Amino acid sequence: MKKVLSIAGSDCSGGAGIQADLKTFSALGTFGMSVITSVVAENTSRVLAVSDVPPDMIAGQIDAVFEDIEVDAVKVGMLSTPGCMRAVAAGLQRYRPTNIVIDPVMYAKNGDPLMEREAISLLTDMVIPLADVLTPNIPEAEQITGDRILSVRDMEEAARKIRELGCKAVVVKGGHSSQSALDVLFDGKRIWHFDAARIDTKNTHGTGCTFSSAIAALLAKGMNLQDAVRQAKAYVTMAIRHSLDIGKGYGPTHHFYHLYKYGLPENSGNCPAPDHRRGHKTDYSLYLVTDRLLMHTQTLAETVEQAILGGSTVIQLREKDISAGDFLKLALEVKEITDRHNTPLIINDRVDIAMAVGAAGVHIGQSDLPAVMARRIIGPDKLLGVSVSCAGEAQAAADAGADYLGVGAMFPTQTKPDAPSVSMEELQKIRQAVSLPIVAIGGIREENADLFAPMGVNGLAVISAVISRPDIKQAAALMLECYKGQRPTDSV
């Protein structure tokens, strides 16, 4: 398990600070540790008092953690005084941990100041240059840059200016914007936008702490920066959507919503290996993912049957933007074909559809229902596939009960043009990190299909290379031969 340290203030009401950080670390499958910089007497309505921890005690806490435990990421929050900043900066410079995420906390949710004004200049000179990622909100970015921020373009310019102070990347958070909750990431080379609909709730206490802690936990688990920010935003959006109406002011977010809703998986931590549960092994050699938009004249059922006759060993039914009723009807039609040929049917994303039709399993992405919850719903005897793009995600999926992994996008693909790319080096790291079957996906075609079997990849997930061809059976047979390194000399 990856280990993440929070250096921040304590919120006795439990919604922000160290308390929010530790909840986030746990919810995202990491082990949380803490260095307390200030004790804040606050609740959902106001800050009553702040007592700063002496700098030598802050230094002592940092030493206690680092001399004993390997730290995979650090989140830094409230640093209210110059002495506190010097102690933290000295500790980080001494131990030089990776994945330092700094949230420059200046105000409480109700607007009460949490940083001495004279400490802001020391923040820019001493603390910000230590950050791998800095996560100011709009008021904090305005304090750091001295500029007003009224638009997305202003947020982009602020991110560029702040990065010039020495940090490696900046996320300017748009939660204080009057428009959508758009965040801007600048990594020194490229600007990224992460947008989400604004949720109509006052209960947003601790969102900044939660967001920065989520980034730290996900970086610790091996995600690249762009994906970590995307997943952290998805997590905090979920927590806000299900926020808790606790107290008289700004209530806290719900860090453990999925756990509260779905409970712990049955036999958690004591499940035998996936293949032992089922008593057989699944052949993932040619894993066909459907896409009706790429088909020619056949019906979906006819296309699936021809693919199976050509050698497809697994069928994944993937449907977007249709009603549950239409999806169910298609699933029943395809299930009749796969049953006839004794071929596993996997349903993409929709656990409910998979259970309703008695499919062999379900495949989920990183932004879908958490794998541990999907496992609890489908039980121990259904297949659970999880899309991953790095070794950290792969290990997390394995820990959560996945049976196999879809790794990609290996090459550019028109089906998911925004999918994170996976290098061959990262694929090898994933192969070394987990023993689960791996299916490569994304831009797989005849000319690159033979690259994967020698790397220990258990199969290829294909879409357009089969679905878009006039002769489905022939295309499937050719892809299977290419995967096995047996490309025929004559055209099939």
Side-chain angles (χ1 to χ4, degrees):
M1 179 177 284
K2 298 300 182 180
K3 298 164 285 294
V4 189
L5 172 65
S6 171
I7 303 175
S10 170
D11 170 13
C12 58
S13 68
I18 287 285
Q19 287 80 351
D21 296 344
L22 293 177
K23 291 173 186 177
T24 303
F25 296 158
S26 296
L28 295 177
T30 59
F31 179 77
M33 303 167 288
S34 64
V35 168
I36 298 177
T37 58
S38 300
V39 177
V40 184
E42 68 174 313
N43 53 37
T44 64
S45 299
R46 66 190 183 109
V47 174
L48 285 73
V50 177
S51 179
D52 298 313
V53 174
D56 59 346
M57 186 58 187
I58 294 173
Q61 293 177 81
I62 293 173
D63 289 339
V65 171
F66 278 97
E67 74 176 23
D68 183 46
I69 300 171
E70 181 180 357
V71 177
D72 299 296
V74 177
K75 176 266 172 79
V76 179
M78 179 181 175
L79 306 176
S80 60
T81 68
C84 173
M85 290 184 184
R86 293 189 182 95
V88 171
L92 295 178
Q93 289 169 337
R94 181 183 311 119
Y95 294 105
R96 299 188 178 280
T98 57
N99 302 315
I100 299 175
V101 180
I102 297 179
D103 184 21
V105 178
M106 298 180 184
Y107 306 96
K109 181 61 64 178
N110 59 14
D112 288 333
L114 295 175
M115 180 182 292
E116 296 178 3
R117 184 166 296 278
E118 59 268 26
I120 294 178
S121 61
L122 193 62
L123 173 78
T124 60
D125 295 340
M126 181 176 290
V127 178
I128 287 178
L130 300 174
D132 292 302
V133 190
L134 193 79
T135 63
N137 58 32
I138 286 177
E140 291 159 351
E142 289 178 335
Q143 283 282 353
I144 294 170
T145 63
D147 298 331
R148 290 294 307 278
I149 298 175
L150 301 174
S151 66
V152 173
R153 186 179 295 275
D154 292 341
M155 294 171 68
E156 294 175 350
E157 185 59 29
R160 291 189 178 95
K161 283 188 176 183
I162 294 172
R163 190 180 179 278
E164 291 176 358
L165 297 174
C167 55
K168 294 180 181 177
V170 183
V171 181
V172 178
K173 300 175 293 188
H176 288 74
S177 168
S178 59
Q179 303 169 15
S180 67
L182 183 142
D183 300 335
V184 172
L185 165 65
F186 179 56
D187 62 3
K189 297 180 180 178
R190 182 174 173 184
I191 290 282
W192 306 86
H193 288 175
F194 302 91
D195 202 0
R198 186 170 296 280
I199 298 168
D200 184 18
T201 179
K202 66 180 177 61
N203 299 320
T204 56
H205 185 50
T207 51
C209 305
T210 299
F211 179 65
S212 54
S213 297
I215 294 174
L218 294 167
L219 289 175
K221 294 170 71 173
M223 277 196 190
N224 62 45
L225 176 58
Q226 179 194 353
D227 291 337
V229 173
R230 179 184 292 109
Q231 291 297 319
K233 187 169 184 66
Y235 171 72
V236 75
T237 300
M238 177 279 299
I240 295 171
R241 180 173 291 113
H242 303 287
S243 58
L244 303 170
D245 194 19
I246 293 174
K248 301 174 182 177
Y250 300 98
T253 63
H254 199 333
H255 297 87
F256 297 109
Y257 169 74
H258 286 302
L259 181 62
Y260 280 41
K261 182 174 178 62
Y262 299 107
L264 289 170
E266 295 178 6
N267 300 320
S268 177
N270 298 308
C271 292
D275 284 326
H276 292 160
R277 286 201 306 265
R278 260 173 298 285
H280 70 276
K281 293 187 176 181
T282 302
D283 182 0
Y284 296 97
S285 298
L286 189 59
Y287 185 112
L288 180 77
V289 182
T290 66
D291 189 329
R292 289 185 296 152
L293 296 178
L294 299 176
M295 287 166 38
H296 285 273
T297 58
Q298 298 103 327
T299 66
L300 181 60
E302 290 170 338
T303 297
V304 167
E305 184 156 37
Q306 287 300 305
I308 293 173
L309 292 173
S312 293
T313 56
V314 177
I315 302 296
Q316 178 179 311
L317 182 58
R318 179 177 180 268
E319 289 293 333
K320 300 291 184 180
D321 302 322
I322 66 172
S323 68
D326 289 340
F327 198 160
L328 179 62
K329 182 179 178 181
L330 281 173
L332 289 170
E333 292 174 359
V334 173
K335 179 73 162 45
E336 182 179 349
I337 302 299
T338 56
D339 283 353
R340 187 187 308 160
H341 294 278
N342 196 28
T343 302
L345 173 63
I346 304 295
I347 303 297
N348 186 70
D349 292 349
R350 296 293 298 268
V351 175
D352 55 340
I353 301 294
M355 298 302 289
V357 303
V362 65
H363 189 94
I364 58 176
Q366 289 294 314
S367 59
D368 299 322
L369 184 70
V372 67
M373 303 307 172
R375 170 57 70 198
R376 182 179 187 275
I377 295 170
I378 67 176
D381 296 323
K382 298 287 186 183
L383 288 168
L384 176 61
V386 179
S387 296
V388 303
S389 60
C390 64
E393 290 178 356
Q395 186 60 65
D399 293 343
D403 294 304
Y404 70 95
L405 306 176
V407 179
M410 299 308 308
F411 305 103
T413 171
Q414 62 180 1
T415 308
K416 280 192 173 184
D418 297 328
S421 60
V422 177
S423 65
M424 288 296 181
E425 291 75 16
E426 189 64 30
L427 176 62
Q428 193 62 49
K429 290 180 182 178
I430 293 171
R431 177 68 290 168
Q432 294 170 354
V434 297
S435 59
L436 297 179
I438 289 176
V439 178
I441 189 169
I444 308 292
R445 299 188 176 279
E446 295 92 335
E447 58 267 24
N448 55 38
D450 60 351
L451 298 175
F452 297 97
M455 299 179 68
V457 172
N458 303 85
L460 304 180
V462 295
I463 306 177
S464 60
V466 172
I467 290 289
S468 64
R469 304 299 170 85
D471 191 327
I472 302 294
K473 179 180 177 181
Q474 184 183 64
L478 177 58
M479 285 301 302
L480 190 58
E481 293 290 345
C482 292
Y483 164 66
K484 294 179 178 179
Q486 301 169 354
R487 181 194 296 266
T489 55
D490 299 323
S491 60
V492 177

